[in-house]
Amino acid sequence: MNSAFCYCRECQTITGSDKWFGLWVPVDKFSFTKGSPATFTRLGDSGKDMNHRFCRDCGTTVCVEVTVGGFYSVAASTLNDSRDFFPKMAIYAKSAPEWAVFPEGVPKFDILPPGMGG
Ligand SMILES: [Zn+2]
């Protein structure tokens, strides 16, 4: 559906960096084929649940279910090969640290683009 760099505070905490690179996949098009992740749930800005699915063994967050949008934001870093994916937008830029680097030519939004809650 989309591919986005997210600079929100939660993504910074999860990644230990300035951003999360998420590939958005509709919930009904995504499933775990092996193992079952653990879940941590928090409330997003929308007031709806954000279900973080992470590996029980190494703690890596594999994806976050964004229930308000009906999609998973899958961590590009967890794919076997993510070289073909590029961010289409940078979101929550207002929360980025001063030293954050934004990709050139990629639309940047303080929170979300208009029409997506921004
Ligand atoms: Zn985020």
Side-chain angles (χ1 to χ4, degrees):
M1 295 164 62
N2 194 13
S3 52
F5 279 177
C6 182
Y7 293 81
C8 80
R9 292 286 302 146
E10 288 76 12
C11 287
Q12 292 176 41
T13 304
I14 294 169
T15 60
S17 183
D18 57 342
K19 63 188 170 296
W20 161 274
F21 184 14
L23 308 174
W24 299 9
V25 182
V27 165
D28 60 353
K29 299 260 192 293
F30 183 88
S31 62
F32 290 94
T33 57
K34 211 166 84 179
S36 60
T39 301
F40 162 72
T41 300
R42 67 174 175 89
L43 290 183
D45 280 0
S46 64
K48 299 280 200 283
D49 286 353
M50 303 282 284
N51 299 317
H52 295 232
R53 313 281 192 211
F54 60 95
C55 174
R56 294 170 194 276
D57 295 325
C58 72
T60 300
T61 301
V62 178
C63 60
V64 178
E65 182 187 1
V66 183
T67 62
V68 69
F71 66 88
Y72 279 103
S73 176
V74 180
S77 58
T78 63
L79 300 183
N80 290 331
D81 185 357
S82 61
R83 281 174 298 187
D84 289 341
F85 294 98
F86 294 86
K88 290 185 184 145
M89 60 178 68
I91 59 176
Y92 284 89
K94 70 161 191 185
S95 306
E98 223 172 285
W99 48 264
V101 177
F102 293 93
E104 214 174 299
V106 173
K108 183 175 150 188
F109 301 96
D110 273 354
I111 300 177
L112 291 163
M116 283 178 60

